[in-house]
């Protein structure tokens, strides 16, 4: 139910046959894509001839060779991410050409190796997937549900708002415990609780 991602943003620089390769790896939060990281790297390295990138977010796999020979850059970078089973990760590898051509195989090794070293520097962490629920329930059930939520380590947040028809609880909990909490709500409210909306959220 969780996923492995990067612990922090990290940079690795290497000179390979006179070309400078600078790789930056970063975890992705929310709906962020590679665009912000790519813009930052282009601004930081205007002399780079190529800004190769790769991204993985769940089933979304994207990459760009940015003018390098097809298959020599973006895909090898993505393969490094996939082999480590990392998710919600973006990598940009910028190259300042040093005058020596590396060939397709040499480019693939240089880009993949630079990406791998950036991932090493970034470290990894396991994120437990969480959900946010908006739950409609009667006034009479609020206290007992709030107490149960406060005693359960799987519940990360439980807040109540009130209106003329009852209460609306915002509950954030570990996705692994979602099915159990469906039963908890049904039992505590005698079936009167209604989960109006639920969606996955990013862990802090």
């Amino acid at each position: 139910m969780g996923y492995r991602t990067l612990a922090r943003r990290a940079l690795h620089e290497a000179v390979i046959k006179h070309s400078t390769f600078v790789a930056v790896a970063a975890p992705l939060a929310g709906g962020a894509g590679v665009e912000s990281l790519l813009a930052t790297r282009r601004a930081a390295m205007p002399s780079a001839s190529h800004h190769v990138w790769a991204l993985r977010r769940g089933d979304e796999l994207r990459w760009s060779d940015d003018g390098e020979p097809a298959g020599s850059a973006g895909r090898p970078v993505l393969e490094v991410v996939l082999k480590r089973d990392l998710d919600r990760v973006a990598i940009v590898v910028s190259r300042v050409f040093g005058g020596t051509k590396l060939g397709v195989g040499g480019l693939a090794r240089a880009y993949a190796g630079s990406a791998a070293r950036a991932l090493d520097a970034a470290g990894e962490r396991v994120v437990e997937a969480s959900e946010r629920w908006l739950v409609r329930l009667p006034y009479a059930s609020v206290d007992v549900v709030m107490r149960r939520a406060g005693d359960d380590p799987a519940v990360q947040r439980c807040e109540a708002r009130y209106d003329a028809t009852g209460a609306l609880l915002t509950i954030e909990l570990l996705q692994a415990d979602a099915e159990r909490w469906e039963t908890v709500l049904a039992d505590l409210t005698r079936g009167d609780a209604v989960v109006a909306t639920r969606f996955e959220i990013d862990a802090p």
Side-chain angles (χ1 to χ4, degrees):
M1 302 293 282
Y3 60 91
R4 292 169 60 215
T5 190
L6 299 180
R8 65 192 70 85
R9 180 180 295 206
L11 179 150
H12 174 79
E13 180 174 340
V15 177
I16 302 172
K17 292 188 177 180
H18 309 297
S19 285
T20 300
F21 292 82
V22 179
V24 177
L28 295 175
V34 72
E35 292 77 15
S36 177
L37 179 61
L38 186 58
T40 299
R41 298 313 303 156
R42 283 174 171 160
M45 296 187 64
S47 61
S49 50
H50 306 279
H51 296 280
V52 168
W53 59 266
L55 171 150
R56 182 191 183 188
R57 184 194 288 108
D59 294 331
E60 179 186 3
L61 306 176
R62 296 167 53 203
W63 66 93
S64 170
D65 294 317
D66 193 34
E68 294 283 29
S72 70
R75 184 69 200 194
V77 170
L78 179 62
E79 288 296 333
V80 174
V81 175
L82 296 178
K83 286 178 181 177
R84 300 190 185 201
D85 195 27
L86 295 170
D87 198 358
R88 305 188 191 189
V89 169
I91 304 179
V92 176
V93 185
S94 305
R95 179 193 182 194
V96 179
F97 182 57
T100 301
K101 293 185 177 181
L102 302 182
V104 172
L107 284 172
R109 288 188 293 273
Y111 278 109
S114 298
R117 299 293 79 76
L119 292 178
D120 290 342
E124 298 179 8
R125 69 182 182 118
V126 176
V127 176
E128 294 294 337
S130 297
E131 292 187 3
R132 179 178 295 144
W133 294 4
L134 297 180
V135 182
R136 173 70 64 180
L137 72 167
Y139 297 122
S141 300
V142 173
D143 287 345
V144 66
V145 172
M146 294 280 284
R147 283 197 300 271
R148 180 63 176 271
D151 291 337
D152 193 329
V155 178
Q156 301 153 334
R157 175 188 172 200
C158 186
E159 298 176 353
R161 291 185 288 122
Y162 301 92
D163 58 26
T165 62
L168 187 66
L169 295 189
T170 299
I171 300 176
E172 293 179 3
L173 71 160
L174 295 177
Q175 197 172 67
D177 291 88
E179 185 175 347
R180 177 173 63 83
W181 257 84
E182 290 174 357
T183 302
V184 168
L185 284 175
D187 290 345
L188 292 179
T189 66
R190 298 182 180 180
D192 287 335
V194 176
V195 180
T197 61
R198 59 187 290 180
F199 49 90
E200 186 173 321
I201 59 175
D202 284 329

